[in-house]
Amino acid sequence: MEGDGTQDLKHCDRDDVSHLALDIGGSLIKMVYFSSSSGCSSDDQINGYLKDGFDVSSGTSNHRVLRRKLHFLKFETSKISECIKFISSKHLQYGDQDDKDLDSDKNIVKATGGGAFKFADLFKEKLGIILDKVDEMSCLVAGANFLLKAVNREAFTYMESQKDFVQIDHKDLYPYLLVNVGSGVSMIKVNGDNDFERVSGTSVGGGTFWGLGRLLTKCKSFDELLELSHQGNNRVIDMLVGDIYGGTDYSKVGLTSTTIASSFGKAISENKELDDYRPEDVARSLLRMISNNIGQIAYLNALRFGLKRIFFGGFFIRGHAYTMDTISVAVNFWSKGEAKALFLRHEGFLGALGAFMNYEKNGFTDIGHQFMQQPSANKSSTHSDVQDNGCIECRVEVRD
């Protein structure tokens, strides 16, 4: 089970955790929650990490500004008992206690995803909490908008092992295409705050990679399959243009000899059984096939609506270099270099963050504009830190 990521809290008299939000998907449960302190000094409260236009020096009597950390965790949905055990062990102050639309004597947790419906009775039985279900697409968009507006160095490009952060102009953010790659893929045209439309999608996504990979390689987890792909060579299984044209390019239509003509195509012409192929090569070919198709479909939808920016999120990507590089190459190839794939450091937590934003009406003021990432001396700003229970250190105003 994932650790809780709270070991590096500083300057706090007590360690409280609160405002849990969940995104319960087909294969993963994503969790976001606050750790907070009432013991932060006034100097600590006003040292400049609040969002532009947020004035904490006015000294309003009914507001407090606190240092908090926003934590990110994930659990496999198949191991939901571990998630429930973690929540129970942390004694989380779940969230709303007096929602007018729900039973006021119950603990309320904001939750999104299909699992919020599927496992509602289980959470009530085991933890005594009610899942307040928030629309999945709304949460994905709210989470993405929050990250792009409030967190520094969130978006980046990745090609040929080169990671470059992109400065986003908040005044020129919309419209953009959000491609969320979970078990399946949703493609959402985002026109503004609370203004979006799901324009396309595909059932070939992370669940496809994991499901087929498990059948073909006997890997027992997504991460094991992803790690296996590191050691593979897809050219052993994929049929390339050069295999068809005797090692040469098909230059007339712009295809190099190394372009994949048919994923898994060599298995047709070779007299081999599955056991004759290395699992590493199968995993690599499978990852390449799915990533290529997601990149191509995403660009075609961006072209369809005249969108210049394509942001990719979802836990399929997981900061995996080969996955990002493949998607980037696909977008670059089909757009003839006119478009670039953009990735998000907190990619897998868009839905959970969006659900978390729904607490703003109960105690937080305009929560989506109050977070600014603070570089930590103890943590680098690498993608793996976020993936392994990283956190954003924040300042937040709370109504008394």
Side-chain angles (χ1 to χ4, degrees):
M1 186 172 68
E2 304 281 339
D4 66 9
T6 59
Q7 67 274 12
D8 55 352
L9 282 171
K10 302 177 183 178
H11 310 303
C12 297
D13 293 335
R14 63 180 184 174
D15 182 8
D16 294 330
V17 287
S18 64
H19 287 82
L20 167 70
L22 300 169
D23 178 4
I24 310 175
S27 57
L28 286 174
I29 301 171
K30 285 78 69 177
M31 177 188 302
V32 172
Y33 70 90
F34 260 146
S35 63
S36 62
S37 169
S38 59
C40 300
S41 68
S42 58
D43 289 341
D44 220 18
Q45 295 170 3
I46 59 175
N47 64 358
Y49 289 109
L50 291 171
K51 193 62 182 159
D52 292 343
F54 197 77
D55 184 8
V56 299
S57 61
S58 57
T60 54
S61 59
N62 63 332
H63 292 76
R64 292 175 292 125
V65 179
L66 302 176
R67 172 196 288 266
R68 296 196 171 197
K69 285 192 176 182
L70 191 59
H71 294 263
F72 306 85
L73 294 89
K74 67 179 185 297
F75 300 84
E76 292 182 17
T77 306
S78 62
K79 300 176 182 178
I80 193 170
S81 59
E82 293 185 357
C83 175
I84 290 173
K85 182 178 179 181
F86 171 82
I87 294 173
S88 177
S89 71
K90 293 299 293 182
H91 305 291
L92 289 166
Q93 302 168 31
Y94 300 112
D96 295 343
Q97 303 296 318
D98 56 353
D99 195 307
K100 304 301 182 186
D101 298 325
L102 297 166
D103 296 338
S104 59
D105 60 339
K106 299 294 185 180
N107 292 309
I108 308 301
V109 166
K110 303 292 183 182
T112 190
F117 295 86
K118 182 177 181 179
F119 298 109
D121 291 342
L122 181 64
F123 276 85
K124 185 175 181 180
E125 175 189 347
K126 297 295 185 181
L127 295 170
I129 63 177
I130 292 177
L131 298 184
D132 183 9
K133 304 169 190 68
V134 190
D135 179 71
E136 184 174 0
M137 295 298 156
S138 297
C139 287
L140 289 172
V141 173
N145 287 343
F146 160 69
L147 290 171
L148 292 169
K149 290 180 178 180
V151 180
N152 288 332
R153 293 166 64 85
E154 177 64 33
F156 62 92
T157 60
Y158 192 95
M159 186 172 288
E160 297 180 353
S161 301
Q162 181 65 41
K163 180 178 183 179
D164 294 311
F165 286 98
V166 177
Q167 184 65 38
I168 302 297
D169 182 354
H170 300 167
K171 297 179 181 179
D172 189 35
L173 175 60
Y174 307 116
Y176 67 84
L177 185 70
L178 175 61
V179 182
N180 190 68
V181 191
S183 297
V185 184
S186 285
M187 300 188 185
I188 307 167
K189 180 176 178 281
V190 182
N191 301 308
D193 293 333
N194 302 313
D195 183 4
F196 63 90
E197 176 188 5
R198 186 182 188 274
V199 295
S200 187
T202 172
S203 61
V204 180
T208 313
F209 175 62
W210 190 350
L212 282 176
R214 186 174 184 181
L215 292 173
L216 295 172
T217 70
K218 309 302 181 184
C219 283
K220 305 214 186 288
S221 73
F222 189 103
D223 290 320
E224 182 184 353
L225 182 62
L226 207 56
E227 183 61 31
L228 190 67
S229 72
H230 275 289
Q231 308 159 36
N233 179 6
N234 69 293
R235 296 183 183 186
V236 175
I237 297 177
D238 292 341
M239 183 181 292
L240 309 181
V241 168
D243 296 324
I244 300 172
Y245 280 83
T248 65
D249 300 338
Y250 186 6
S251 55
K252 186 175 181 178
V253 295
L255 298 177
T256 66
S257 62
T258 57
T259 300
I260 297 174
S262 176
S263 295
F264 288 86
K266 282 183 180 174
I268 298 172
S269 57
E270 295 177 341
N271 187 24
K272 293 182 179 181
E273 301 296 328
L274 178 59
D275 290 343
D276 296 323
Y277 292 98
R278 295 195 316 152
E280 295 91 331
D281 301 333
V282 173
R284 186 80 161 193
S285 179
L286 185 60
L287 181 60
R288 187 71 178 264
M289 178 183 71
I290 293 172
S291 299
N292 262 328
N293 276 271
I294 291 171
Q296 179 181 5
I297 296 171
Y299 170 69
L300 292 176
N301 275 281
L303 181 66
R304 173 186 171 197
F305 293 102
L307 304 176
K308 300 299 182 183
R309 294 193 186 93
I310 310 172
F311 293 101
F312 290 85
F315 253 121
F316 168 71
I317 300 170
R318 303 198 185 197
H320 188 250
Y322 189 72
T323 305
M324 293 189 294
D325 201 62
T326 302
I327 291 175
S328 295
V329 168
V331 171
N332 183 73
F333 175 82
W334 290 106
S335 71
K336 294 182 170 57
E338 293 184 4
K340 289 185 178 181
L342 292 160
F343 302 96
L344 302 171
R345 289 181 55 240
H346 299 78
E347 57 193 16
F349 294 93
L350 303 185
L353 279 167
F356 184 86
M357 295 297 108
N358 277 266
Y359 284 122
E360 67 178 70
K361 63 182 180 181
N362 295 97
F364 294 93
T365 58
D366 196 19
I367 199 168
H369 295 282
Q370 293 174 23
F371 292 86
M372 183 70 75
Q373 185 171 352
Q374 176 185 358
S376 170
N378 297 324
K379 276 185 175 286
S380 63
S381 296
T382 63
H383 190 282
S384 59
D385 289 330
V386 175
Q387 180 175 317
D388 297 329
N389 305 325
C391 57
I392 301 177
E393 193 159 341
C394 318
R395 301 295 188 275
V396 62
E397 181 176 349
V398 184
R399 291 197 297 267
D400 290 325

